[in-house]
Amino acid sequence: MREGWRDEPAARGGCQCGRVRYSVPAGPKKSTVCHCRMCQRATGNAFAPLLEVLTADVIWEGTPAVWASSSVAERGFCATCGTPLFYRSDETTELMAGTLAGFDFRPTANHGIEGRVGWLGGLAALPDRATRPELLSRVVSHQAPEE
């Protein structure tokens, strides 16, 4: 097994609107967090939590749009709702953890730490607040249900 990979259960996921779904079987996977500048820009966030699997193991329902973000990789997304879905290079695909349905994501390593933002380490010390119930009661989601 590759370094940092461990046996994990099968996983499913997909985009917000439901047009692109994927599944991967139980078996070796690697969970990491990437802080590099390309991942920050691709996700619009401070980092990208990624589940790496063999590309041959990913079964797609619907076809993701793909953009070559560099000379060594491409990124997939839903052309309808814009959800970022993956980073793919050579023989592996790294699925965006936020697109997983009910998967217990437990990262084992940080990558691209040269881009890690300084404020990230202080998040655990900030106060926690749940979404306001009065806001939740009037939200009408247009997202497809999770599986």
Side-chain angles (χ1 to χ4, degrees):
M1 194 175 306
R2 297 169 184 230
E3 183 182 343
W5 290 56
R6 60 185 180 206
D7 280 330
E8 296 280 2
R12 293 187 54 76
C15 68
Q16 293 183 80
C17 73
R19 292 191 186 241
V20 181
R21 298 282 191 211
Y22 62 82
S23 61
V24 291
K29 298 172 181 63
K30 182 178 180 182
S31 301
T32 61
V33 174
C34 186
H35 301 270
C36 81
R37 188 64 185 129
M38 278 204 310
C39 281
Q40 290 170 347
R41 292 184 72 197
T43 62
N45 212 319
F47 56 85
L50 301 163
L51 179 68
E52 187 173 3
V53 300
L54 295 174
T55 296
D57 286 347
V58 183
I59 299 167
W60 292 101
E61 300 167 25
T63 304
V66 177
W67 180 65
S69 60
S70 72
S71 60
V72 297
E74 59 187 11
R75 295 181 186 268
F77 58 96
C78 175
T80 302
C81 66
T83 302
L85 295 166
F86 64 82
Y87 166 91
R88 182 167 51 206
S89 63
D90 298 329
E91 57 193 42
T92 65
T93 296
E94 297 182 51
L95 301 161
M96 297 288 172
T99 67
L100 293 162
F103 182 80
D104 183 20
F105 184 78
R106 294 170 286 133
T108 59
N110 286 291
H111 293 175
I113 60 167
E114 68 282 352
R116 185 167 37 203
V117 295
W119 52 262
L120 197 57
L123 288 181
L126 296 177
D128 291 336
R129 293 188 180 95
T131 305
R132 297 184 330 257
E134 68 276 9
L135 176 62
L136 286 176
S137 68
R138 56 178 221 244
V139 169
V140 177
S141 176
H142 300 288
Q143 296 183 38
E146 286 195 304
E147 300 168 31

